[in-house]
Amino acid sequence: MCGIIGFTGCLQAAPILLNGLQKLEYRGYDSAGIACMSKGGITVSKAVGRIDNLRGITNNGSTINSTMGIGHTRWATHGKPSDVNSHPHVSMNGKFAVVHNGIIENFGRLKEILISKGFKFQSETDTEVVAHMLEYYYRDGNILHAIARTMNAVEGSYALGILCDDDPDHLYCAKKDSPLIIGLND
């Protein structure tokens, strides 16, 4: 079963995300990944297998200088376990990174529409549709508008964590019929 985590604060995000993902291991998973907001844009790291593999390629998160990010453990429902199918998924222009727990029931129809508009897909997942939909609806430069339009277009249950390169100070969340907990701390 998939699990997601997000963090924003004054501490380095990647180690916190990795520790959070480790706590979600009991749910079962086949791959894991994190996306962190860095000065150069969104940095994505993914690995098939255990979270220790992800720890290895990020040197326990120390190679990513960021105080905000999202993470995901994946249990394959759309597409085989692979780095390409692992979350987070990034929009074609690289501005959005998305993690998702749940299922987008109409992803096939939405994918066809996006392909007809020139979008290219890398994965076999339903989540990549969300990343591309955000890019498509972001044409007016209003991220909240893009998120609202995307959530109105998708059918199913979901909890989402969203990063936007143009808004490095905010981590966005959305949910429908899937659990999502937000915690606040000093």
Side-chain angles (χ1 to χ4, degrees):
M1 180 184 268
C2 300
I4 62 174
I5 184 169
F7 173 82
T8 185
C10 57
L11 301 174
Q12 288 300 306
I16 292 169
L17 295 171
L18 291 167
N19 289 338
L21 292 175
Q22 201 102 47
K23 291 177 181 172
L24 294 173
E25 280 187 313
Y26 75 94
R27 298 168 62 105
Y29 66 100
D30 56 54
S31 57
I34 59 174
C36 293
M37 188 66 71
S38 301
K39 287 185 181 178
I42 298 171
T43 301
V44 176
S45 302
K46 305 178 187 186
V48 173
R50 308 306 299 167
I51 291 166
D52 286 341
N53 296 345
L54 186 58
R55 285 185 182 281
I57 64 172
T58 64
N59 197 20
N60 284 319
S62 68
T63 61
I64 304 169
N65 186 21
S66 172
T67 58
M68 180 169 44
I70 54 180
H72 187 272
T73 54
R74 176 177 188 262
W75 190 257
T77 54
H78 293 97
K80 66 180 181 186
S82 69
D83 287 346
V84 172
N85 287 331
S86 299
H87 299 210
H89 287 287
V90 179
S91 61
M92 207 165 75
N93 65 6
K95 287 193 181 290
F96 291 94
V98 177
V99 292
H100 164 229
N101 186 17
I103 186 164
I104 306 300
E105 294 171 357
N106 63 336
F107 87 98
R109 183 173 49 81
L110 294 174
K111 185 174 183 176
E112 288 175 8
I113 292 167
L114 289 165
I115 288 171
S116 75
K117 296 184 181 305
F119 284 84
K120 300 198 182 327
F121 286 78
Q122 305 299 314
S123 77
E124 303 167 90
T125 70
D126 56 342
T127 305
E128 190 178 7
V129 167
V130 174
H132 293 328
M133 294 285 294
L134 288 166
E135 176 181 334
Y136 177 73
Y137 286 125
Y138 188 60
R139 295 173 303 216
D140 65 1
N142 184 326
I143 188 167
L144 293 177
H145 178 253
I147 292 170
R149 297 276 313 265
T150 299
M151 298 309 96
N152 284 330
V154 299
E155 297 169 2
S157 65
Y158 51 81
L160 300 165
I162 302 167
L163 297 178
C164 178
D165 191 37
D166 288 343
D167 192 0
D169 296 326
H170 294 95
L171 185 156
Y172 294 91
C173 309
K175 74 171 254 37
K176 179 181 176 244
D177 299 332
S178 286
L180 178 68
I181 298 170
I182 298 173
L184 209 48
N185 188 324
D186 291 336

